Amino acid sequence: MAAVELKGLTKSYGESVAVAGVSLRIEHGQLVCLLGPSGCGKTTTLRLIAGFIEPSAGEIVVGDKVLSSPQRTVPPEARNMSMIFQSYALWPHMTVAENVAYGLKIRKLDKAAIEAKLKAILSTARLEALADRYPGELSGGQQQRVSLARALVVEPETLLLDEPLSNLDANLREEMRFEIRRLHDRYRYTTVYVTHDQAEAMTTADLIAVMNSGKIEQLGPPEEIYARPRSEFVARFIGGANILRGTALDGTQVSLAGTALRTTGRTLQAGRPVALSVRQHEIAIAAEKPQSLDNHLPAVVTRQVFLGSVRDYTVALDDRTELRVTAPPGRDIAPGQAVWLHLPAEQCRALAEE
Ligand code: ADP
Ligand code: MG
């Protein structure tokens, strides 16, 4: 049984469409990330799932119950969902333990049950030593763990997280990604996690739904999204790929700046325009002319930055297309110098026609 199913979910505000026909099936116990740039409709989708807003069209079904439709929307408090916002909103006058236990108290559980559940969640969230502190006496990461513990302790069927780490500094954010995944593995609540951060989605998600302009552009496990982006948008957004434009010569080869390149990804149609995505670190750069020119392109270095562990090159092809290339740091090729780029055929992914 699907835990949460979105069917053609749409939300319009006047003329503007925030969510445009999103269909997504989230299995019980799965963690799905909605990943996309600011304004693509992530928060609106989450608020629709939580029941804070009503859809203009489409449905949200949980199990066999329709929770949202334009005709009828079950209120948030009747949904058995917990939502965590960007700001943790802990109660400042309550201790950690009181904050976490609050949801159990209003559900009128008996004292022994509350004690037992509280103890278990404080231990899992590594908060035992902090139980008697007030939020003002905690670091950002600790406050975030309290807010997670508070959401988890009521055993929601569904957990909704909206950019939960965006208020933390970079180191802590990285640590908390693993923490969220660890808690998910422990409790297996069906989770919808909203973020604009690729690494956060990669670390936490079973499935990533890449969103663009209110729509899901691609849905799949992190590795598949990364290895086989289907559109230019996904290729650019995930892993900053270069996009090259050429014309198909036959089923596999593309003519690009006067050179034939072999490609992968789909069967091409001779004469059609083709966009290829190639990642920066998949391109090799050399100052000397190689023996075989198979899948090589001539270029000129336009810029070069030494970043310590790598060198980041910008190069221009004969047709002035610019590419980014990440190379080992040892070899230093100066701007203005002619180079050869090797683009392995298995990394030249032909994207779907727009
Ligand atoms: P994200 O969370 O991906 O940044 P949102 O879901 O918050 O994006 O917003 C999606 C689009 O819908 C944006 O263009 C936003 O301006 C618009 N939007 C969101 N809420 C409202 C609202 N209450 N009224 C009008 N427009 C809204
Ligand atoms: Mg948002």
Side-chain angles (χ1 to χ4, degrees):
M1 190 164 58
V4 179
E5 192 165 4
L6 315 182
K7 297 180 175 176
L9 197 62
T10 298
K11 181 69 185 177
S12 311
Y13 293 103
E15 293 285 284
S16 89
V17 185
V19 176
V22 164
S23 293
L24 174 64
R25 203 183 143 91
I26 306 163
E27 301 299 336
H28 187 78
Q30 241 177 4
L31 192 157
V32 174
C33 266
L34 304 181
L35 172 66
S38 174
C40 72
K42 305 180 297 294
T43 295
T44 306
T45 305
L46 209 63
R47 290 170 60 79
L48 284 163
I49 299 173
F52 293 125
I53 48 179
E54 291 155 19
S56 314
E59 282 183 351
I60 299 170
V61 181
V62 174
D64 52 9
K65 278 184 292 195
V66 178
L67 293 191
S68 291
S69 71
Q71 291 75 38
R72 200 177 101 82
T73 290
V74 174
E77 61 275 13
R79 291 194 173 211
N80 205 6
M81 294 180 176
S82 283
M83 181 152 170
I84 298 182
F85 302 91
Q86 219 165 310
S87 55
Y88 332 122
L90 300 175
W91 286 288
H93 58 287
M94 290 188 197
T95 64
V96 166
E98 287 163 353
N99 262 285
V100 174
Y102 184 77
L104 299 173
K105 286 206 177 115
I106 53 172
R107 281 171 177 74
K108 305 220 182 322
L109 269 73
D110 67 58
K111 225 173 157 196
I114 291 178
E115 278 303 312
K117 283 180 193 289
L118 181 63
K119 192 160 180 276
I121 195 76
L122 289 179
S123 153
T124 307
R126 300 184 182 138
L127 289 167
E128 289 149 308
L130 306 173
D132 297 325
R133 290 218 202 154
Y134 288 90
E137 301 166 340
L138 302 174
S139 71
Q142 291 165 339
Q143 289 185 44
Q144 187 56 287
R145 290 216 300 278
V146 176
S147 112
L148 273 170
R150 188 176 62 174
L152 292 170
V153 77
V154 296
E155 296 172 20
E157 273 175 22
T158 311
L159 187 61
L160 307 174
L161 304 161
D162 191 1
E163 313 249 9
L165 307 184
S166 57
N167 283 337
L168 305 178
D169 65 40
N171 285 339
L172 201 52
R173 207 153 55 215
E174 204 178 325
E175 197 180 305
M176 285 303 292
R177 286 177 204 149
F178 293 108
E179 196 72 10
I180 286 179
R181 184 65 219 190
R182 185 178 68 81
L183 287 171
H184 180 75
D185 289 336
R186 169 93 169 65
Y187 289 97
R188 291 265 154 209
Y189 296 127
T190 306
T191 303
V192 186
Y193 187 125
V194 161
T195 181
H196 66 277
D197 184 308
Q198 180 204 329
E200 219 169 289
M202 293 279 197
T203 315
T204 54
D206 296 311
L207 279 181
I208 295 178
V210 183
M211 287 187 71
N212 180 22
S213 305
K215 293 197 177 78
I216 294 181
E217 190 105 3
Q218 190 169 349
L219 172 73
E223 275 138 56
E224 188 184 303
I225 297 272
Y226 184 85
R228 287 188 292 283
R230 279 204 299 266
S231 68
E232 193 174 322
F233 176 83
V234 175
R236 281 191 200 277
F237 195 73
I238 310 285
N242 291 295
I243 306 293
L244 294 169
R245 289 173 206 288
T247 307
L249 293 168
D250 56 30
T252 57
Q253 296 194 85
V254 169
S255 163
L256 210 144
T259 307
L261 281 185
R262 283 178 298 114
T263 67
T264 186
R266 68 181 172 90
T267 305
L268 310 175
Q269 237 185 315
R272 301 283 305 172
V274 180
L276 302 177
S277 91
V278 193
R279 293 214 156 79
Q280 301 174 16
H281 63 270
E282 295 164 343
I283 301 175
I285 184 168
E288 310 76 28
K289 188 168 182 173
Q291 285 190 331
S292 153
L293 287 181
D294 179 57
N295 265 52
H296 279 74
L297 292 174
V300 173
V301 173
T302 53
R303 203 181 62 184
Q304 188 240 90
V305 186
F306 173 66
L307 293 174
S309 60
V310 294
R311 268 181 212 275
D312 179 8
Y313 287 96
T314 305
V315 300
L317 304 181
D318 290 351
D319 66 0
R320 301 203 166 178
T321 306
E322 289 209 319
L323 298 187
R324 296 281 290 277
V325 178
T326 304
R331 190 66 203 280
D332 179 0
I333 309 173
Q337 203 172 327
V339 289
W340 288 91
L341 306 176
H342 179 219
L343 292 72
E346 62 279 12
Q347 317 287 13
C348 295
R349 297 174 200 84
L351 301 170
E353 284 193 50
E354 305 266 295

